[in-house]
Amino acid sequence: MTEFIQHLINGLSIGSIYALIALGYTMVFGVLKLINFAHGDIYMLGAFYGYFISRFFSLGENPSLFSLLLALTLTMATCAFTGYLIETFAYKPLRKAPRINALITSVGISLFLEFTGQLVFGSDPKFFPQIFAISGEWAIGDLKFNPLQITVFIISLTLMAILQFVIFKTRLGRAMRAVSFNHDLASLMGIPTNRIISFTFMLGSALAGAGGVLVGLVYPKIEPLMGVMPGLKAFVAAVLGGIGNVTGAVVGALSLGLAEEFVVGYLAPSFRDALAFTILILVLLFKPTGLFGTKTTEKV
Amino acid sequence: MKQYLIWLTALVAIVIVNFGLIPFLPPYYYSILIYSGVNIILAVSLNLVNGFTGQFSIGHAGFMSVGAYLSAYISIMITKDNPDLLANPVTANLIFLVSLIAGGAGSAIIGYFVGLPSLRLRGDYLAIVTLGFGEIIRVMILNIDAIGGARGFTGIPLLSNFLWVYIAVLFTLFFIWRLVNSAHGRTYLSVREDEIAAQSMGVNTTNAKVQAFVIGAFFAGIAGGLFAHFLLYLNPQTFDFNRSFEIIIMVVLGGAGSISGSVVAAIILTVIREALRPIQEITRIDFRMSIYSLFLIILMLNRPNGLFGTKEIFNFMSSKMRRLFLGKEDTAT
């Protein structure tokens, strides 16, 4: 039983990081109908931005909640800016081009970030400074919690709650939903669609950046290719939940995190990375709209 | 009739070059020639999927690795116990033919199972599934001990040569050229142009996409087999995502939907890759992929049609030349 709860916590903690990435995928897909391949690499950039910010302010020497929040906020801001740059220079000119062109471009950006990251940061892993520490372990009876995992989980939940608020309670969020519902109609209603799309990109990138910092907190080894696998898995999570659906992305990501953790814990550790793709193929075969997605008929 | 004459001329030219020129070629240039040929097959077969059918596959190196490992395994299994089969050129070439076709077929079968679930849906999913597939196949090869695992696969007999590679190139070009200009292949083009319209005209779009994908996988497997029996050493790292990406660049640079464009781009990129090697050795940085990816982005933003667009090289020739090549005035797409 203890082991089970341990796996549960691990799964939720990694799942919440997938969720932060998956939200960006699903939001960008919602407004632009584009799979942004570079999204996983924004998450990688987030980890590195966090690393350099922590080094710059020497946050590793006085770990505290304040240090963590400072690193988190600054990283989210820089990641949002990076997302804005990518959107403006690479995706905006392709608005009217065939979708496959934007897809190829996003693969290009993804690779550009990965390999330039290797040139700039070096391909050897870096160790993320410990900017937040809680001494000891929390324990209830036999149950031991890694406090960092709990922290990660709580912070991601908070961020998701903020996102939920932004999407469903603010004017900006309403505009986002309108653009995602029907791009042309939204623009007829006077919604500045281009600005909304840029904003969506920034929001998604900020969340991915936060994911990067949080993962650095729990698994401190960061390297330029670290974004590839979580990026793909987050995409699978977004598809599992129904791509374009915000709640679906969170549910999908948490279930994927749990599924992975249980497969590693009880079945076979070497199948960890294969699981996500198996799930993807199964979802595509049996329920391509995902758990929460609604079936859309393509109109001519 | 005239069309077939062109292909026959090309065949004769390959044979003449093989006996007249190849023996005098320095080994380094010879290997560049072979790699160009392999890349042409890869680029043209990927073009069938990405360019002509309009689906976006980014796991072509995975299919190449299936073909490479499978054909190498078969030829090793056959010749392990009786090595004198290799001494006889007739049986050696026969074995090579069998292992190549088996490698291609194996790759095609896997292509069917990878393609079917994702191709029922919109194209974007194929990109992710093929990307994941490329990774899975790499991990699987690493874990199979019979084919060397992480150590790499050694002991492959040298069976590839210029003649084999370029006859395979010619066959690929012939097959795909005839395919996309047939009524059957036109269904692929219709899927690319407008899937809904194609569907309403009675085209089974899923079938068309899966067929194109399986044929593409088959030729990638053949290319893998040719590559394996030339390099004689296989390593899962050879077939990672970067390899797939290089093939995509070839297709995009040449023009998605242009066979001759893919051929030209495959040759250009193979040569550039070798030309960059000295610079890379001096600086000790592998900046090639950075440049490639930046190049791809710039290409997409400024000239998304690549060198030739959907035109073929004949479309740029004078009408007299075109008649000579095609035997008729109007050309495909």
Side-chain angles (χ1 to χ4, degrees), chain A residues 140-190:
Chain A
I140 304 172
D142 280 346
L143 266 180
K144 290 196 176 60
F145 300 109
N146 179 351
L148 284 178
Q149 285 185 331
I150 308 282
T151 320
V152 165
F153 188 58
I154 291 172
I155 292 181
S156 343
L157 279 190
T158 318
L159 287 173
M160 286 173 220
I162 295 174
L163 180 75
Q164 200 77 4
F165 176 79
V166 169
I167 291 180
F168 289 101
K169 297 284 182 220
T170 61
R171 263 173 75 88
L172 215 53
R174 191 182 300 157
M176 274 169 65
R177 280 181 289 145
V179 172
S180 127
F181 188 74
N182 189 325
H183 183 276
D184 295 338
L185 267 184
S187 111
L188 283 178
M189 295 296 131

Side-chain angles (χ1 to χ4, degrees), chain A residues 99 111 116 119 284-285, chain B residues 120 122 124 128 245 285 290:
Chain A
R99 271 229 321 278
L111 288 161
T116 315
L119 294 185
L284 292 186
L285 267 179
Chain B
R120 293 195 313 154
R122 279 222 331 271
D124 313 19
I128 300 277
F245 186 60
I285 307 170
S290 265

Side-chain angles (χ1 to χ4, degrees), chain A residues 259-296:
Chain A
E260 270 194 351
E261 189 57 37
F262 285 122
V263 164
V264 171
Y266 293 111
L267 293 171
S270 53
F271 282 101
R272 184 183 200 122
D273 287 345
L275 178 75
F277 296 110
T278 319
I279 292 180
L280 177 64
I281 288 181
L282 289 179
V283 172
L284 292 186
L285 267 179
F286 295 111
K287 196 164 183 353
T289 50
L291 295 174
F292 291 82
T294 43
K295 192 167 168 53
T296 50

Side-chain angles (χ1 to χ4, degrees), chain A residues 58-73:
Chain A
S58 359
L59 298 177
E61 280 141 42
N62 36 353
S64 64
L65 189 62
F66 174 73
S67 304
L68 174 61
L69 290 181
L70 180 69
L72 206 59
T73 332

Side-chain angles (χ1 to χ4, degrees), chain B residues 177 180-181 186 189 310-312 315 326 328 330-333:
Chain B
W177 170 257
V180 296
N181 284 303
R186 287 298 159 94
L189 299 183
T310 54
K311 293 197 176 82
E312 295 295 343
N315 300 48
L326 297 173
K328 56 179 192 270
D330 55 326
T331 57
T333 50

